[in-house]
Amino acid sequence: MPNPLPKKHDLLTLDDVRPEEMSHLFHRAGVLKGMQHRGEPHRTLEGRTLGMIFEKSSTRTRVSFEAGMFQLGGMALFLSSRELQLGRGEPIADSARVLSRYVDGLMVRTFAHQNVELMAQHAGIPVINGLSDSFHPCQVLADLFTFEEQRGVGSLRGKKVAWIGDGNNMANTWIQAARMAGFHLVIACPREYQPCDAVLDKTRRLIAESGANASVEVVRDPREAAAGAHLVTTDVWTSMGQEEERLRRQEAFKGYVVDGPLMALADKEALFMHCLPAHRGEEVSAEVIDGPQSVVWDEAENRLHVQKAILEWLMRGGSGW
Ligand code: CP
Ligand code: NVA
């Protein structure tokens, strides 16, 4: 099927999303969520196919994209890189060109972010980053939507968000989100596990140029980040691909557990988020993740609804919004 977009648009990082596009996405995600819950059909991508290339494990990303495409009337193909010729050395560019002749969109979960960029550069169809070593845009869009769902449209604007722990792909994405959604992000991490300098520098430059009411700060003390925060969020200390560093990381992140005493420093209405999978007793205590401030199950569910809105946006060029 020919690509319907005059110029295809990709979602590789949150720098690909303008604030007004985010608002449209969240509005549409809310509509789709309502239709889904009421059992109303919403087959807006009938006849379309999404190819999903996975180089890493996944529960949420795989199942939410696959179920989402089905609910929209299309279908998704799970493509493990181990079984594709890609895994035997076929160049990414060639794979992208060929797959573009068969499917209408590609979701890619990979290691080096450059792999997703290369795929997007050579694919004639929209490419969605389903997580790279550097960014996880679909997850943070679902997280922002979840905050608005809990606290109202635009409620995160000007608020304080605390990121506690590793300066990883999720942290880099929250940095970009601060610019896009307009909030104050304070990241607490050990010195040797800082987020990407280039992402920090670019985001700070974009904030300064646009005059947005947003900021990004990196501190060492988790209590400084959590103090008065409206949202406290964290992630695993050892991401996929870093398994050999596990013991060293467990030692380095000892003081970065999100537990009851840390949450008590945050705003009394603060929410807790975690993209999952989580390790209770490592980055977060059971009392927090299973407690009343935690919205992790809504976050996980909202991956489905937000991604359906993303799929419509990219595969139909925003028509139908
Ligand atoms: N949060 C997230 O992306 O989960 P999966 O690794 O299970 O897809
Ligand atoms: N930072 C984690 C996120 C998992 C969804 C990882 O990359 O493994």
Side-chain angles (χ1 to χ4, degrees):
M1 181 173 292
N3 168 30
L5 290 176
K7 183 183 181 306
K8 65 131 180 174
H9 193 63
D10 305 302
L11 175 56
L12 307 191
T13 80
L14 291 188
D15 284 351
D16 295 326
V17 186
R18 295 199 301 269
E20 61 274 23
E21 287 170 333
M22 181 192 79
S23 302
H24 277 300
L25 272 177
F26 290 176
H27 172 74
R28 184 62 185 160
V31 170
L32 289 167
K33 183 170 183 173
M35 292 172 97
Q36 175 71 16
H37 283 195
R38 291 190 298 274
E40 294 167 13
H42 44 281
R43 299 169 65 85
T44 53
L45 291 180
E46 206 137 35
R48 310 289 172 97
T49 306
L50 177 74
M52 308 189 300
I53 300 176
F54 281 92
E55 289 197 285
K56 292 175 174 173
S57 304
S58 171
T59 296
R60 281 144 288 268
T61 305
R62 177 184 174 178
V63 178
S64 55
F65 267 110
E66 192 162 334
M69 273 306 288
F70 178 75
Q71 290 162 14
L72 292 170
M75 71 169 289
L77 287 173
F78 173 72
L79 305 166
S80 161
S81 60
R82 274 196 302 275
E83 287 149 30
L84 292 171
Q85 296 289 7
L86 194 59
R88 295 181 58 248
E90 182 167 10
I92 290 175
D94 290 0
S95 305
R97 291 183 186 108
V98 170
L99 290 169
S100 298
R101 304 284 177 116
Y102 303 137
V103 299
D104 305 285
L106 278 172
M107 190 241 76
V108 185
R109 171 167 284 200
T110 186
F111 291 89
H113 186 68
Q114 211 190 359
N115 294 344
V116 200
E117 291 178 334
L118 211 55
M119 191 65 83
Q121 194 185 329
H122 295 280
I125 54 175
V127 173
I128 300 170
N129 178 5
L131 180 147
S132 66
D133 286 346
S134 307
F135 300 102
H136 196 3
C138 297
Q139 178 68 54
V140 176
L141 283 169
D143 296 353
L144 298 174
F145 174 78
T146 304
F147 192 93
E148 292 208 347
E149 187 177 56
Q150 295 283 334
R151 299 284 184 254
V153 173
S155 55
L156 199 51
R157 241 173 265 139
K159 296 285 193 327
K160 178 177 178 182
V161 175
W163 173 270
I164 313 291
D166 191 15
N168 62 11
N169 43 10
M170 282 293 297
N172 290 334
T173 311
W174 274 102
I175 292 170
Q176 295 183 326
R179 190 268 322 160
M180 182 186 67
F183 57 81
H184 302 284
L185 177 67
V186 183
I187 295 170
C189 62
R191 190 175 301 282
E192 60 277 28
Y193 295 102
Q194 297 237 127
C196 173
D197 278 336
V199 177
L200 275 172
D201 292 347
K202 182 180 175 193
T203 301
R204 287 176 173 148
R205 181 172 52 75
L206 291 175
I207 289 172
E209 283 169 8
S210 66
N213 179 23
S215 61
V216 182
E217 201 185 336
V218 180
V219 301
R220 298 278 88 83
D221 185 354
R223 288 166 304 182
E224 189 181 340
H230 303 94
L231 168 61
V232 178
T233 184
T234 188
D235 186 14
V236 292
W237 293 339
T238 304
S239 284
M240 290 180 277
Q242 300 171 336
E243 287 76 8
E244 285 176 7
E245 302 171 24
R246 189 177 185 92
L247 289 179
R248 186 152 55 84
R249 286 173 164 271
Q250 276 175 339
E251 198 54 34
F253 287 109
K254 259 184 189 154
Y256 290 84
V257 184
V258 179
D259 54 13
L262 193 73
M263 281 304 287
L265 300 174
D267 186 88
K268 65 179 183 340
E269 301 279 307
L271 297 175
F272 170 76
M273 291 191 186
H274 190 308
C275 64
L276 306 176
H279 297 87
R280 288 170 179 75
E282 279 194 26
E283 74 275 5
V284 61
S285 68
E287 67 170 331
V288 170
I289 195 167
D290 298 320
Q293 289 168 288
S294 171
V295 289
V296 297
W297 313 121
D298 291 324
E299 261 185 283
E301 177 185 337
N302 286 334
R303 291 289 304 275
L304 173 71
H305 309 299
V306 170
Q307 285 162 196
K308 282 161 75 177
I310 292 169
L311 289 164
E312 282 187 347
W313 172 37
L314 300 181
M315 291 167 83
R316 303 178 73 221
S319 60
W321 276 10

